[in-house]
Amino acid sequence: MHAPSGAERPHRDFLNIADFSPAETFALLDLAERMRTGAYTDRPLAGKALAMIFMKSSTRTRMSFEVGANQLGGTAHFLSPRDVQLGRGEPIPDTARVLSRYVNGIMIRTFAHQDVVELAEYASIPIINGLTDLSHPCQVMADILTVQQHLGDIRGKTVAWIGDGNNMANSWIEAATHLGFALRVACPEGYDPDEAFLADAAERGADVQLLRDPREAVANADVVTTDVWASMGQEEEQAKRALAFALYQVDGELMAHAHAHAIFLHCLPAHRGEEVTAEVIDGPQSVVWDEAENRLHIQKAIMAALMGNVPL
């Protein structure tokens, strides 16, 4: 028996945060919170399998999806570039069609976002974006779950993003536009987020500001978050980026401009002494370990909704 095809059951994908309506997104967060606290014990993935394609390496993404699928009663199957014919030039549509006959969902972590879009176009099963160079929706959903765990409803809160306008910044912009919280993005010139995400935020009247001064961004923020200055694939730019981002380090002095109750987030791995000081990431305002754990819970909720037909 092959996995259910799109003709038999219309399926949904999670390529970006806005793939769910705002109401569905908050329902997803509520489901993840029930999973986090142990209030949800169903196993909606019993007898189902997730294929995990990793064109980029990972610690948190692999472990959280693998463990999460298992906890929901399913199985997860790791495929590296050496394990899939994609790494040897097989067309994405062929891989999509074949895996759709074997498994009930695919999580992919890769470089080009268009590859994920194409995979979703030709697969007859749900596709989950585990990360692309354009967006990182699972991580930002985990971050929002963490904000709500510590500070309550994210609506009405102010989030400050400090540093590179990378895939994380793009997904934060999309989340703020979609869910209705304030976002202040502080980036050096030449490292702005993707223009399409900024344009959508402006068109929809979202409370999203692009700034150059990190102190201005952090002023009275409820959440301060950052990422490494050079992501995977940018290692050769490390020295150039270290100069560009020198004034964008999150240290105790910068955190002092935020609310006293502010929390610090980092998607990890972190480079202490570069984008954040040890004083902050290992300090009392840091909730990065809860944030890392919450990848498990939000991704379980996503899999339950997409693969397990759990209503939102």
Side-chain angles (χ1 to χ4, degrees):
M1 286 290 291
H2 63 77
S5 71
E8 293 165 333
R9 180 185 64 81
H11 72 276
R12 299 182 65 178
D13 304 307
F14 186 67
L15 309 189
N16 282 304
I17 288 171
D19 285 345
F20 288 93
S21 72
E24 289 172 328
T25 302
F26 282 111
L28 200 66
L29 289 161
D30 289 343
L31 176 59
E33 177 64 13
R34 290 170 60 208
M35 291 174 169
R36 186 186 74 80
T37 61
Y40 184 93
T41 57
D42 293 351
R43 293 166 66 83
L45 297 193
K48 297 187 177 183
L50 174 75
M52 306 186 302
I53 301 174
F54 283 87
M55 307 308 283
K56 281 188 176 185
S57 60
S58 169
T59 301
R60 280 153 290 275
T61 300
R62 178 176 179 179
M63 287 303 300
S64 54
F65 271 107
E66 204 163 286
V67 172
N70 180 268
Q71 289 181 356
L72 293 177
T75 59
H77 305 270
F78 173 77
L79 299 167
S80 75
R82 291 188 297 261
D83 301 317
V84 289
Q85 296 299 328
L86 277 176
R88 299 175 60 192
E90 180 173 53
I92 289 172
D94 292 2
T95 296
R97 292 178 179 118
V98 169
L99 289 181
S100 293
R101 300 295 183 107
Y102 297 151
V103 298
N104 304 87
I106 301 170
M107 187 284 299
I108 180 168
R109 181 179 172 94
T110 191
F111 295 88
H113 190 79
Q114 184 55 39
D115 289 352
V116 181
V117 172
E118 189 175 5
L119 189 68
E121 181 181 352
Y122 288 94
S124 58
I125 54 175
I127 305 300
I128 300 170
N129 175 6
L131 172 143
T132 68
D133 288 344
L134 182 68
S135 65
H136 199 354
C138 288
Q139 179 66 61
V140 170
M141 286 291 289
D143 293 0
I144 293 169
L145 180 62
T146 310
V147 173
Q148 298 202 152
Q149 175 185 347
H150 287 273
L151 301 178
D153 195 333
I154 195 166
R155 287 168 288 194
K157 302 295 190 296
T158 298
V159 176
W161 173 266
I162 308 299
D164 192 15
N166 60 11
N167 50 6
M168 282 291 296
N170 292 337
S171 286
W172 269 113
I173 293 167
E174 183 183 34
T177 303
H178 192 56
L179 301 180
F181 59 88
L183 179 67
R184 310 287 179 258
V185 179
C187 302
E189 284 193 54
Y191 296 93
D192 289 355
D194 185 85
E195 182 56 41
F197 287 90
L198 290 169
D200 183 60
E203 183 178 329
R204 295 172 57 184
D207 189 357
V208 174
Q209 293 183 31
L210 178 61
L211 306 167
R212 299 299 174 206
D213 183 352
R215 292 186 181 186
E216 184 180 357
V218 167
N220 297 315
D222 301 287
V223 180
V224 179
T225 182
T226 190
D227 194 4
V228 295
W229 291 340
S231 299
M232 274 184 284
Q234 299 173 332
E235 289 80 6
E236 73 284 353
E237 301 177 29
Q238 180 66 45
K240 175 186 173 184
R241 284 173 168 266
L243 289 173
F245 290 101
L247 300 178
Y248 291 79
Q249 183 184 75
V250 179
D251 56 15
E253 191 275 332
L254 186 64
M255 287 294 295
H257 292 271
H259 276 301
H261 66 242
I263 58 174
F264 173 75
L265 299 175
H266 192 305
C267 59
L268 304 177
H271 296 160
R272 289 167 176 78
E274 291 184 15
E275 75 276 3
V276 62
T277 61
E279 170 194 16
V280 170
I281 195 169
D282 298 320
Q285 290 175 282
S286 174
V287 294
V288 299
W289 313 120
D290 289 342
E291 177 187 7
E293 177 188 329
N294 283 336
R295 286 291 299 279
L296 171 67
H297 307 308
I298 195 66
Q299 288 161 187
K300 285 171 65 177
I302 292 168
M303 288 188 288
L306 295 183
M307 297 169 57
N309 299 322
V310 173
L312 296 177

